Amino acid sequence: MSEKPRPELVIDGFPGKRRPRWVELATSADHKDLGRILICGALGFLFIALIELLLMRLQLAVPENTFLSPVAFNRLLSLYGTDAIFLFAIPLALGLFYYVTPLQIGCRGTALPRVGQIGVALWVAGATVLYAGFLFTPSEAGINPLAPLSELAFLSNNGVDAWATTTGLCTLGFVFVAIDLLTTLRNMRAPGMAWRRVPVFSWAAAVSCWLLLVIGPVLLAALTMLMIDRNYDGIFFADGSGGAPLLWQHLSWIFFSGAYMLILIFAFGALAEIVAAFSGRPLANRGVVMGSLAAIAVLGTLAWMQNMLTAPIGIGWMYFAMLMSLALIVPFGLIVFNLIATLVGGALRIFEPDEDFWVAIEG
């Protein structure tokens, strides 16, 4: 009786030397690697933002303090605001979405990995431009450089240009990541996983990405108009020359209000998953929580005028902003009551990691 042939492994040449880990991370398009870059980078910039905040608080601790000059304080304030929003909060949320969502919906990767890789690279480039500003002149225009005070007539240095470049690159990168995640959620869910069955955290990722696709181009348009005003004699925000200074406030606060809602949606999505897992039962009403997350994205963005405290807005628009702000109470309350109901009906337990958990984390 003849012996069955055995399979043979044939290779051409010897395997090459493995590249260093940082090179693999820098060139990888895998969603887990890109998620790690966003998460670790965001936590690093959080540390820098806390140092900037500490320096500003030291200046404000004593009346008539000379620890920081007025110009240095304005520069730290501008760096802190950009760092906290564009380099920490939004990237941390997107990084966790990017890492976890494909795993939750049962796909091996994202639909457009190179688009996500470009998005992360744009974010890294934006962060580099922001802190490279110390080589010439950092921005002195504050967290939200309101026009026309950020126009060339009031700030003739190139600090505002660096700020606009940073925020533009970061925002464009966020839009690219959102496109990749939305395409993945739309086309690569596991068989049988309808939208109503998607995990709450993945649903929060979808809502956040749709929100970014709306508010991101709004800020990019505002930044483009500001750069044209500063460098090409534009009059978009020039008061007295046919421009509209309030236009910058409307466009910028639409983005910032939506960005704050994105962070809240991320937090509520994570809380919903954590509470359900550690109480040992599903959410009291998943549909209500998912609908509330979508409502927060819409109502919170439509309430952008609540931030324009001193702007000459018509009384009708003031009532509109007030009603949108008040309406936010409903979805917030529904989510909180659902979390409480989930805890009350479950058996809360404390997580104790075992050896297999740490092995999986290190792997």
Side-chain angles (χ1 to χ4, degrees):
M1 184 175 180
S2 61
E3 184 180 357
K4 294 182 179 180
R6 297 179 179 179
E8 295 182 7
L9 179 63
V10 179
I11 60 172
D12 294 329
F14 295 96
K17 184 178 180 181
R18 185 175 181 180
R19 296 181 299 177
R21 178 57 179 160
W22 69 270
V23 177
E24 291 183 352
L25 279 176
T27 58
S28 175
D30 181 68
H31 72 97
K32 295 186 290 295
D33 289 337
L34 296 177
R36 290 190 186 101
I37 293 173
L38 286 171
I39 295 169
C40 295
L43 294 176
F45 285 116
L46 171 63
F47 177 74
I48 297 174
L50 291 176
I51 293 176
E52 294 164 353
L53 179 62
L54 176 62
L55 293 175
M56 289 189 291
R57 297 309 302 177
L58 289 175
Q59 168 62 29
L60 298 174
V62 181
E64 305 295 332
N65 197 358
T66 58
F67 175 67
L68 293 175
S69 66
V71 173
F73 187 89
N74 289 340
R75 290 176 178 176
L76 276 178
L77 179 63
S78 304
L79 285 172
Y80 168 76
T82 308
D83 199 334
I85 298 172
F86 292 93
L87 303 185
F88 163 62
I90 299 178
L92 179 64
L94 286 181
L96 286 168
F97 283 150
Y98 208 62
Y99 190 104
V100 174
T101 299
L103 303 178
Q104 282 192 324
I105 64 175
C107 61
R108 302 180 64 180
T110 58
L112 305 170
R114 294 301 176 187
V115 173
Q117 186 182 29
I118 292 172
V120 175
L122 288 171
W123 175 73
V124 173
T128 304
V129 170
L130 178 67
Y131 284 97
F134 281 106
L135 300 177
F136 41 95
T137 307
S139 174
E140 304 167 14
I143 296 175
N144 182 9
L146 300 178
L149 298 178
S150 56
E151 295 277 350
L152 202 61
F154 296 94
L155 287 174
S156 57
N157 56 46
N158 48 16
V160 176
D161 296 327
W163 177 88
T165 303
T166 293
T167 53
L169 288 173
C170 291
T171 304
L172 187 59
F174 298 155
V175 171
F176 275 40
V177 172
I179 291 172
D180 186 18
L181 266 179
L182 273 179
T183 308
T184 303
L185 283 162
R186 174 65 180 81
N187 298 321
M188 299 183 66
R189 299 192 305 275
M193 183 178 285
W195 277 112
R196 66 182 183 277
R197 297 177 179 173
V198 168
V200 176
F201 190 73
S202 296
W203 173 258
V207 173
S208 299
C209 290
W210 275 115
L211 182 58
L212 266 177
L213 290 186
V214 173
I215 65 175
V218 173
L219 183 64
L220 290 173
L223 293 172
T224 302
M225 287 186 276
L226 180 62
M227 294 292 280
I228 292 174
D229 277 11
R230 287 182 56 85
N231 298 287
Y232 302 103
D233 299 325
I235 57 170
F236 289 105
F237 309 121
D239 191 18
S241 301
L246 276 182
L247 179 60
W248 170 267
Q249 290 197 45
H250 283 293
L251 296 177
S252 62
W253 281 119
I254 286 174
F255 175 83
F256 286 116
S257 298
Y260 301 150
M261 294 305 108
L262 184 151
I263 297 165
L264 288 174
I265 292 168
F266 157 72
F268 279 131
L271 278 175
E273 295 280 6
I274 293 170
V275 168
F278 289 96
S279 62
R281 70 186 297 263
L283 286 171
N285 195 320
R286 285 184 81 250
V288 170
V289 173
M290 295 169 73
S292 298
L293 292 176
I296 289 173
V298 176
L299 296 175
T301 306
L302 290 177
W304 81 88
M305 283 179 288
Q306 66 178 330
N307 302 287
M308 301 166 60
L309 303 177
T310 60
I313 304 173
I315 189 67
W317 291 109
M318 288 184 180
Y319 284 132
F320 174 78
M322 179 186 68
L323 289 174
M324 293 299 104
S325 301
L326 290 174
L328 275 173
I329 298 173
V330 177
F332 284 155
L334 289 174
I335 293 175
V336 171
F337 285 132
N338 265 276
L339 296 180
I340 294 173
T342 304
L343 287 172
V344 171
L348 188 63
R349 59 186 178 87
I350 304 301
F351 175 67
E352 297 180 359
D354 55 11
E355 184 178 351
D356 294 336
F357 173 81
W358 295 115
V359 170
I361 291 296
E362 292 174 359

